[in-house]
Amino acid sequence: MQTWIEELLLENKMNERAFDNLHYDGDTAFRVRIRRFGALLGRLCSNPTTVIGLIIIGLMMAMAIFAPWITEANVPDPYQMPRDWGAVRKPPGTPGFLLGTTNEGGDVFYGVVWGSRTSLQLSLYVVGSTMIIGTIIGSLAGLLGGWVDEFLMRLVDVFLSIPELIFALAIAAVLGPSFTNIIIALSMVIWVKYARIMRAQVLQVKQNEYVEAAKVIGDTKLNIYLKDILPNAVTPVTVQATLDMGNVVLIGATLSFIGLSEAGIAEWGVLVSEGQAGIASGRWWASTFPGMMIFLWALAFNLVGDGLRDALDPRTEGR
Amino acid sequence: MISKKDNVGQPILSISDVAKHYPIREGALQRVVGHVRAVDGVSFDIFPGKTVGLVGESGCGKSTLGKVVAGLTDPTSGSVRYNFNTQLVSISSLEKNKFKNFRRNCQMVFQDSFASLNPRHLVFDIVGRPLKVYKEVSGYDLVEKVVSLLNQVGLGREHLYRYPHQFSGGQRQRISIARALALNPEIIILDEPTSALDVSVQAQILNLLNELQKARNLAYLFVTHDLSVVRHMADSLVVMYLGKIAEAGETQAIFAKPYHPYTKALMDAKPSFDEGQNSKAKGLEGVVPDPARPPQGCRFHTRCSLATDKCGWEVDDVVRWLEDTPGMFESLTAVERKSEFSAVLSFSDESSAANLKQEMRSEKLPASMRKALNKVNINEKNVQIEFEPVEEILLREKDGRHAACIIEPKKVNQEA
Ligand SMILES: Nc1ncnc2c1ncn2[C@@H]1O[C@H](COP(=O)(O)OP(=O)(O)OP(=O)(O)O)[C@@H](O)[C@H]1O
Ligand code: SF4
Ligand SMILES: [Mg+2]
């Protein structure tokens, strides 16, 4: 008896406090939304590992954006490694070659810096396109149901039954070695994940009574999808996309390492591959520095993705 | 079906013989193996400015009926007809424009105030949305219109830019009501609008609904499992049991003298003190049967304390009784039905069969059930049982009231 009354009182008190903190009188809708977004950022930044991830990502982005200012762009194609056949196998610290050179006179520092651009492109193209395709297909399956759902999900199951790396490898091998083909191969493999997540989310969200309520006021199906279903369903997709920004570079580097990318391109995986022959002879630098970059990139996005998952948790969101 | 002397006018909504069956699918091929008869032939009228209370236990099909009436799902059979300039037209055959008209005029408030408001929308978005859909007003006028709606439900301008989770349950239900009012409808379907609220808040919301009804001549379909809530709200009542109407009539008349034992049991059921959401009523023994296999005759006969031999006793009642009898059910191997009223029950041993035959004539079964039993024959391990077949017990009219019970209303009220 006593306890539930106490619980009720406590809950009331907490509600009152929440009301005091959130007195929005006179605020516009816009400012309230900004504040909600700010609160999300605040929750995100309250987690130290997430902050570390964000800092690493920030530095990587800066490096990608300012690459031409950090080291002079190679002409005519800046994504091609500059070759100096007069300076092969130089160790780190050699004047003009901060991180040393490869067997073929490639500047490791140049590869590390411009490789961040290549990686950013790779992950943005792959994650961007697969997220859109997966979201559309998953939504259609979840909304329409019936044979459309049946067909799309069989397709997804087929794709998911093959391990990601092997599948991407097979596609890239068939398409022939090039960086664009790696993007295509990865996109073909990854969209299914988003389709599956989105379908499950849509099936769940469309059960909510606010969807029914929107039907009662007579809103259109498209509006109900865009205003009620999509915004409430998309959170796990965002988290997965963040994680994949890292994973895609990891798999992409693996494919490059095997030689499915263009030779000589300023890409971390290619660079690791180029440097591996020298490791046995003690020339560790050509593989180690780009390898570290791949590791840091994947780690940073995984840290932020995990943080985002916690920050967007429906149990804590908006409270 | 409910005719009222003071309603000389036409109904605004007429529900006739509405049924809604949900298919039950099973197995990898999702074959349909049966149907949940959530609503199974219900008729009544809703009049302008009046409240119809729809009552019944959990799972009897109230919400399903509410959704059909609101036009959210099509009925399996029967029709909901809306009054278009004194013409009753079925809403499922309406052309787009006219359906839009119906849509505007028939709104709904849901039970769960949290689930029925989009958590990502501000109050302004929620209450203003219907107005945007029909492009009623925009810009500054929209804000003022939303504020005026909020004022009508006891909220104000300061609540415009808050999220639903920043309100109490009662306040959220007020927001839902404001949204329902936005299009100035003629009918509002209220699906248990207060059952999730504290008693004191419940009263406030009920008062608000009463005031709004008077001010705007609203018709309500008030769905609830709590008779005491509709007592002062509803002009007429529809009491549902397992998808069918058990009793219908004017509220006062029903409260003064219920014509159906189920209504009486509901009324006698005193809500217990620390009552949960769906606490079982005390005057009602036993569980509600599966709506996929509703009982024969009168659907209430499995729980009715006044049941007679003409109430629809059937093979399923014997099977249900066996299920509750330890030792007997385990030795039952097969039930071979000739009809709902006649079957051969096979047991693994002769003693169980003999036991059943004996029990079928004993005090352990209700006297009315025994009386309805035509035959109990035993043949080694098999027992043949046969009940007197009974037609479905339909809604009957008496003194302008409707009840689906074969015994005299006088008898219903004699027994305490
Ligand atoms: N979409 C559906 N698919 C299958 N069965 C359903 C569906 N909706 C409801 N039912 C079934 O129909 C029956 C009636 O459900 P309904 O929600 O209408 O009952 P209710 O009277 O509103 O109960 P409550 O008081 O619990 O809200 C139940 O047996 C339920 O399981
Ligand atoms: S017909 Fe009347 S008496 Fe018979 S079971 Fe039904 S409610 Fe009870
Ligand atoms: Mg319900």
Side-chain angles (χ1 to χ4, degrees), chain A residues 12-25 35, chain B residues 162 166:
Chain A
N12 264 341
K13 211 176 263 169
M14 273 160 45
N15 277 344
E16 263 169 34
R17 211 171 305 141
F19 274 87
D20 286 345
N21 291 341
L22 297 160
H23 232 266
Y24 286 146
D25 295 13
R35 201 172 300 182
Chain B
R162 290 192 193 170
Q166 291 170 278

Side-chain angles (χ1 to χ4, degrees), chain A residues 204-224:
Chain A
Q204 194 201 330
V205 171
K206 79 173 186 181
Q207 303 281 338
N208 275 313
E209 248 170 19
Y210 54 77
V211 174
E212 209 95 295
K215 284 185 202 159
V216 173
I217 62 169
D219 214 340
T220 59
K221 282 185 179 152
L222 182 66
N223 260 342
I224 293 175

Side-chain angles (χ1 to χ4, degrees), chain B residues 69-271:
Chain B
V69 174
L72 283 172
T73 50
D74 285 332
T76 312
S77 65
S79 66
V80 177
R81 288 175 301 155
Y82 175 60
N83 194 333
F84 267 110
N85 316 318
T86 74
Q87 281 272 43
L88 284 174
V89 192
S90 166
I91 58 167
S92 45
S93 65
L94 288 178
E95 51 185 276
K96 217 175 173 186
N97 247 350
K98 283 197 168 168
F99 186 78
K100 227 174 168 180
N101 192 331
F102 165 74
R103 186 66 296 144
R104 293 189 57 152
N105 277 306
C106 182
Q107 291 295 304
M108 191 158 176
V109 172
F110 298 87
Q111 171 177 4
D112 186 341
S113 64
F114 199 81
S116 58
L117 303 174
N118 187 331
R120 283 165 202 277
H121 285 186
L122 298 167
V123 171
F124 170 68
D125 302 322
I126 292 167
V127 179
R129 186 162 173 191
L131 300 165
K132 280 193 209 156
V133 168
Y134 294 91
K135 303 193 174 62
E136 294 268 283
V137 285
S138 61
Y140 182 75
D141 291 342
L142 181 61
V143 180
E144 290 313 305
K145 178 84 209 255
V146 171
V147 170
S148 111
L149 284 164
L150 288 178
N151 286 336
Q152 287 178 52
V153 298
L155 297 171
R157 189 180 290 273
E158 68 274 20
H159 300 110
L160 268 181
Y161 302 112
R162 290 192 193 170
Y163 288 102
H165 70 259
Q166 291 170 278
F167 293 90
S168 66
Q171 285 176 313
R172 275 200 296 267
Q173 210 53 293
R174 286 169 193 268
I175 298 168
S176 280
I177 295 169
R179 168 174 64 189
L181 290 176
L183 295 168
N184 204 9
E186 294 171 319
I187 311 147
I188 300 184
I189 293 156
L190 303 152
D191 190 355
E192 313 220 20
T194 60
S195 57
L197 305 174
D198 288 345
V199 180
S200 61
V201 185
Q202 222 172 48
Q204 289 170 13
I205 298 287
L206 293 178
N207 282 339
L208 172 69
L209 288 169
N210 266 331
E211 281 164 26
L212 290 168
Q213 178 168 46
K214 281 198 198 94
R216 293 164 164 253
N217 199 35
L218 286 163
Y220 287 155
L221 175 62
F222 197 110
V223 176
T224 179
H225 62 262
D226 187 352
L227 264 177
S228 63
V229 169
V230 281
R231 180 160 198 173
H232 302 289
M233 286 290 295
D235 299 287
S236 56
L237 285 183
V238 172
V239 182
M240 268 179 86
Y241 186 73
L242 271 181
K244 280 198 172 294
I245 295 183
E247 175 164 8
E250 285 183 41
T251 311
Q252 282 184 351
I254 290 181
F255 270 97
K257 194 178 172 200
Y259 275 20
H260 196 285
Y262 179 60
T263 318
K264 177 137 178 67
L266 276 182
M267 277 165 41
D268 292 345
K270 287 194 198 78

